Amino acid sequence: MMGTMSLGSSIVISKKGAVTLLSNDKNYYPPCLSKKNANCLMNCQSEGNVIKTNGVSVSVSSSFTKRSVLVNADPGTALLDTGRSVLPPNGSVYNGAQSGIGIVNILKGKAFFVTGATGFLGKVFIEKILRTVPDVGKIYLLIKAKDMDSAMERLNNEIINTELFKSLQQAYGKSYQSFMLSKLIPVIGNVCESNLGLDEDTADVIAKDVDIIVNSAANTTFDERYDVALDINTRGPSRLMSFAKKCKKLNLFLQISTAYVNGQRQGRIMERPFNAGDSIARESLIYEDQELISIPNLNVEDEIKLVLESKKSLGENAASQKLKELGLERANLYGWQDTYVFTKAMGEMMIDKMRGDIPVVIIRPSVIESTYKEPFPGWMEGNRMMDPIVLYYGKGQLSGFLVDPNGVLDVVPADMVVNATMAAMAKHVTCGKTEENYIYQIASSAVNPLVFKDLARLLYEHFNSSPCLDLKGRPVHVPIMQLYRSMEDFSAHLWKDAINRSGLNNSGGINKGKYSHKLENICRKSVEQAKYLANIYEPYTFYGGRFDNSNTQKLMGMMSEEEKRTFGFDVGKIDWRDYISNIHIPGLRRHVMKGRGMCTQN
Ligand SMILES: NC(=O)c1ccc[n+]([C@@H]2O[C@H](COP(=O)([O-])OP(=O)(O)OC[C@H]3O[C@@H](n4cnc5c(N)ncnc54)[C@H](OP(=O)(O)O)[C@@H]3O)[C@@H](O)[C@H]2O)c1
């Protein structure tokens, strides 16, 4: 996370609200430096820049080279260039013409306040908007940090200087840093603190300037402590909505939620908003025509009180485990599978309750995995959701899993989520609160289901044609993954497998007892680990719902052909074989394993 400050300049709003420009770039002269001139600084650099890159292969085209000379010669001049053409990674010229939704033209000049920008999805969003809408306004990034230097360090190390941004780095050449730092403004804050942890002056600057708020900050741990998850995922959006009410020219509040806020709903699940008090458990009982008395009404404020009281009554030592259990217990009581999705659903409820006249969009992606195309295929961060299982399997450490073979894993590539987000954003910025359909499920299970048994076959084929290597450099040949419907069968499989792999069944000799005991402990640990994963994932590997995406499809229908090429999110067209074998797993090996794990293909 930490590192050295890189070359370049940035507008920085300190905790005390002073606006300063940090610069290590001798050629860069800021037009205005003082807090008094902050607005001038914010406006005068927002004119259009021309980016031309072919993205995927990231070689620089001749037309770009010409432009890059201009850009490199003087970042200031480049920033005043009013050119509009963007050559996206797929190579086709996109001129942002006013057809379709008009995404580029609508987002041009808009100022953003973004939370969660250091996260997996947040970065893909920041990259895409800067690449396709270079004359976007300021993008204020709420970053957890102890001081401004640390915030800048995080911005540089976790966003600006990362591989994900290499298309932009190549496009802007030497003026890359100054371009990035003229747009991205780190502000210290925390969605768990009152007024988002912003100092008054900073809050004022943002409140005056911002057009669109994007809340991507979240705690995504399925079995997090209830107090922690509630604070970030439920109270976070409500604190942000309170802040939104102070924003003078806000056009949109966009919440990144999850399709799994639908909890234990079954069948085709529509893009419906939550109302305060909704609970999946009561809803299910209504459908089954049963007594509702046993299930209390869900009241978010009561949940917050319950957590506060529980924390008071629990000793520090017991608190952590008990609060994890409490989250799961409350989630299950009301019809959600875990604390994460329950607290995210309550986040949506808070937004709905508080929004008043503020236009809102709620984006509900299913499981987000590596990028499909842009800025290059296979970019991924973190070992998440299905990936630990994929990697254990590829390395020969797990040969079965607890899953419904005919069930569906609902996956969407990160760049498609971002494209849909930008399209929805542009649409709703113009139509305001009048638009009723503001929930977008970005999901594949209804239109292009990836069935678990097919996934298992794809993994088998992939790891046998490009095997991982063991410690001695020999290829690891994996068997087809066994899929178990019951924990009992899965557990038996795990024991058998662990015993075979550890050699426990052959451990004879003088120290037999001691040695066997040690091996047995190792086996037990690996079995427990696999069972833990299986338990956490069970609600997802046996999920009984399919996410309808009618609003998302309609949104796609509003886009021009040009927009579909640049901001496409047609999950129905994903070829899963190609995506899993040629994009996602190679991406995992390269960006998550970073060559570790002794794979033949990195
Ligand atoms: N990943 C998925 O498969 C998936 C699927 C559906 C929906 N989503 C939703 O998509 C959004 C982004 O997810 P992601 O995968 O990008 O998550 P992620 O990689 O875990 O990133 C979470 C982001 O939230 C920030 N954050 C956490 N607590 C915060 C706090 N108290 N104050 C301010 N910022 C805070 C983190 O900042 P730090 O870097 O400082 O920790 C980080 O930038 C989330 O809302 C999530 O619910 C994700």
Side-chain angles (χ1 to χ4, degrees):
M1 207 166 83
M2 300 298 169
T4 51
M5 285 274 283
S6 61
L7 278 177
S9 324
S10 179
I11 302 157
V12 166
I13 303 182
S14 76
K15 259 276 191 194
K16 299 226 154 30
V19 178
T20 48
L21 190 129
L22 299 181
S23 178
N24 294 334
D25 181 348
K26 285 192 215 110
N27 297 322
Y28 186 65
Y29 295 101
C32 20
L33 282 170
S34 69
K35 180 181 164 192
K36 211 168 94 195
N37 288 333
N39 288 338
C40 155
L41 188 59
M42 280 158 196
N43 296 328
C44 63
Q45 293 184 342
S46 65
E47 271 306 303
N49 309 295
V50 178
I51 312 172
K52 294 197 174 183
T53 168
N54 73 355
V56 178
S57 68
V58 292
S59 64
V60 179
S61 73
S62 56
S63 59
F64 166 66
T65 313
K66 227 177 177 181
R67 175 62 69 190
S68 75
V69 172
L70 183 70
V71 170
N72 292 346
D74 179 356
T77 317
L79 293 169
L80 293 174
D81 187 327
T82 52
R84 291 284 180 270
S85 300
V86 174
L87 191 66
N90 63 16
S92 57
V93 177
Y94 178 49
N95 65 16
Q98 271 287 14
S99 58
I101 298 175
I103 301 171
V104 168
N105 282 318
I106 290 168
L107 299 184
K108 189 172 68 190
K110 295 280 184 292
F112 285 75
F113 181 34
V114 180
T115 72
T118 52
F120 166 49
L121 187 69
K123 282 180 196 147
V124 183
F125 170 68
I126 298 294
E127 196 278 342
K128 179 83 184 204
I129 199 154
L130 289 177
R131 181 159 46 79
T132 54
V133 194
D135 42 4
V136 64
K138 301 289 167 218
I139 305 179
Y140 301 92
L141 307 178
L142 186 86
I143 294 182
K144 285 189 291 177
K146 66 177 183 336
D147 55 30
M148 211 52 228
D149 283 350
S150 316
M152 275 305 299
E153 222 166 65
R154 291 200 67 186
L155 176 66
N156 276 308
N157 296 343
E158 296 174 45
I159 299 177
I160 293 179
N161 297 326
T162 57
E163 194 183 355
L164 180 70
F165 287 77
K166 69 184 179 187
S167 295
L168 276 168
Q169 283 162 20
Q170 296 198 355
Y172 281 90
K174 284 185 184 156
S175 58
Y176 173 66
Q177 281 281 335
S178 47
F179 168 68
M180 294 296 279
L181 297 174
S182 70
K183 296 290 176 189
L184 304 180
I185 305 180
V187 293
I188 300 171
N190 188 326
V191 299
C192 294
E193 292 175 19
S194 75
N195 207 26
L196 306 170
L198 299 170
D199 67 74
E200 250 175 60
D201 292 341
T202 305
D204 281 352
V205 171
I206 299 173
K208 276 192 195 108
D209 197 33
V210 75
D211 299 289
I212 300 174
I213 291 179
V214 178
N215 183 28
S216 189
N219 179 299
T220 56
T221 307
F222 291 164
D223 60 347
E224 187 51 87
R225 283 170 58 139
Y226 196 28
D227 55 335
V228 174
L230 201 65
D231 208 10
I232 300 173
N233 298 339
T234 306
R235 302 184 73 191
S238 91
R239 291 185 189 101
L240 206 57
M241 187 51 94
S242 301
F243 179 74
K245 300 210 155 161
K246 299 178 200 158
C247 296
K248 311 276 178 298
K249 58 188 185 87
L250 191 74
N251 283 315
L252 187 66
F253 183 105
L254 186 141
Q255 164 77 358
I256 306 285
S257 186
T258 160
Y260 290 98
V261 288
N262 287 297
Q264 291 159 354
R265 282 177 176 151
Q266 304 286 308
R268 195 173 189 98
I269 301 172
M270 307 310 284
E271 293 156 302
R272 275 198 298 125
F274 282 108
N275 295 312
D278 278 356
S279 113
I280 310 280
R282 285 179 79 86
E283 197 178 279
S284 316
L285 289 186
I286 291 167
Y287 284 129
E288 286 162 22
D289 213 13
Q290 288 183 29
E291 279 285 331
L292 290 176
I293 299 158
S294 56
I295 300 176
N297 270 322
L298 172 57
N299 181 323
V300 180
E301 272 82 20
D302 287 350
E303 294 303 302
I304 294 169
K305 268 188 224 144
L306 174 75
V307 159
L308 289 175
E309 280 159 17
S310 306
K311 269 179 91 168
K312 255 191 229 158
S313 67
L314 290 166
E316 202 39 58
N317 289 343
S320 184
Q321 189 52 33
K322 291 269 182 237
L323 287 165
K324 274 188 177 193
E325 288 162 14
L326 182 65
L328 189 62
E329 198 183 288
R330 301 303 287 178
N332 290 167
L333 172 67
Y334 290 110
W336 279 268
Q337 59 270 37
D338 54 47
T339 311
Y340 165 56
V341 294
F342 179 44
T343 52
K344 288 287 286 187
M346 288 192 284
E348 283 195 20
M349 290 173 199
M350 291 306 278
I351 289 170
D352 204 64
K353 183 176 162 199
M354 296 172 67
R355 63 184 287 191
D357 286 332
I358 294 179
V360 166
V361 161
I362 291 182
I363 301 288
R364 289 181 184 165
S366 54
V367 175
I368 309 175
E369 293 287 359
S370 55
T371 51
Y372 185 56
K373 280 190 184 156
E374 291 193 20
F376 50 87
W379 183 80
M380 181 70 197
E381 189 179 73
N383 192 1
R384 39 186 82 227
M385 195 61 189
M386 70 170 182
D387 302 328
I389 295 147
V390 170
L391 293 173
Y392 282 137
Y393 171 69
K395 289 195 253 168
Q397 293 163 359
L398 186 72
S399 58
F401 206 62
L402 180 70
V403 57
D404 173 4
N406 297 316
V408 168
L409 178 65
D410 199 316
V411 174
V412 281
D415 48 344
M416 288 199 177
V417 175
V418 162
N419 289 348
T421 301
M422 286 177 69
M425 195 177 263
K427 179 188 164 196
H428 287 261
V429 157
T430 43
C431 64
K433 207 201 159 187
T434 51
E435 179 60 52
E436 279 177 12
N437 297 327
Y438 60 92
I439 309 265
Y440 295 92
Q441 291 180 169
I442 324 289
S444 58
S445 55
V447 286
N448 185 10
L450 172 59
V451 178
F452 279 112
K453 64 180 180 210
D454 298 338
L455 175 62
R457 163 82 28 204
L458 291 178
L459 297 180
Y460 171 70
E461 287 170 6
H462 174 89
F463 284 111
N464 276 296
S465 63
S466 317
C468 293
L469 302 179
D470 69 12
L471 285 171
K472 293 186 178 146
R474 295 169 306 200
V476 177
H477 292 292
V478 291
I480 180 87
M481 190 183 257
Q482 301 293 309
L483 308 180
Y484 294 96
R485 287 173 194 272
S486 82
M487 186 58 103
E488 217 183 349
D489 293 345
F490 177 51
S491 183
H493 167 88
L494 286 171
W495 270 110
K496 211 172 105 202
D497 205 34
I499 288 169
N500 282 340
R501 273 192 291 112
S502 67
L504 185 63
N505 47 354
N506 305 323
S507 59
I510 309 165
N511 290 326
K512 185 180 168 205
K514 206 173 157 192
Y515 186 57
S516 301
H517 190 63
K518 208 171 160 190
L519 283 182
E520 201 180 314
N521 274 342
I522 294 172
C523 289
R524 175 160 293 113
K525 224 171 139 189
S526 85
V527 168
E528 288 313 315
Q529 231 169 16
K531 281 173 68 178
Y532 170 78
L533 274 180
N535 245 324
I536 299 243
Y537 290 152
E538 196 176 342
Y540 300 89
T541 53
F542 288 83
Y543 199 69
R546 300 275 179 101
F547 302 114
D548 178 89
N549 62 351
S550 305
N551 290 347
T552 308
Q553 302 256 25
K554 268 186 233 149
L555 186 66
M556 210 155 51
M558 293 175 66
M559 292 163 74
S560 67
E561 288 310 309
E562 274 184 357
E563 284 178 330
K564 284 181 191 162
R565 277 193 293 277
T566 309
F567 300 101
F569 47 92
D570 191 352
V571 289
K573 289 216 176 102
I574 298 174
D575 172 350
W576 291 119
R577 173 179 294 276
D578 182 47
Y579 177 72
I580 297 292
S581 308
N582 303 325
I583 298 175
H584 183 59
I585 305 178
L588 268 184
R589 288 173 154 194
R590 182 176 162 80
H591 303 288
V592 178
M593 297 308 291
K594 297 188 194 303
R596 293 185 311 267
M598 303 141 296
C599 298
T600 50
Q601 209 187 57
N602 292 318

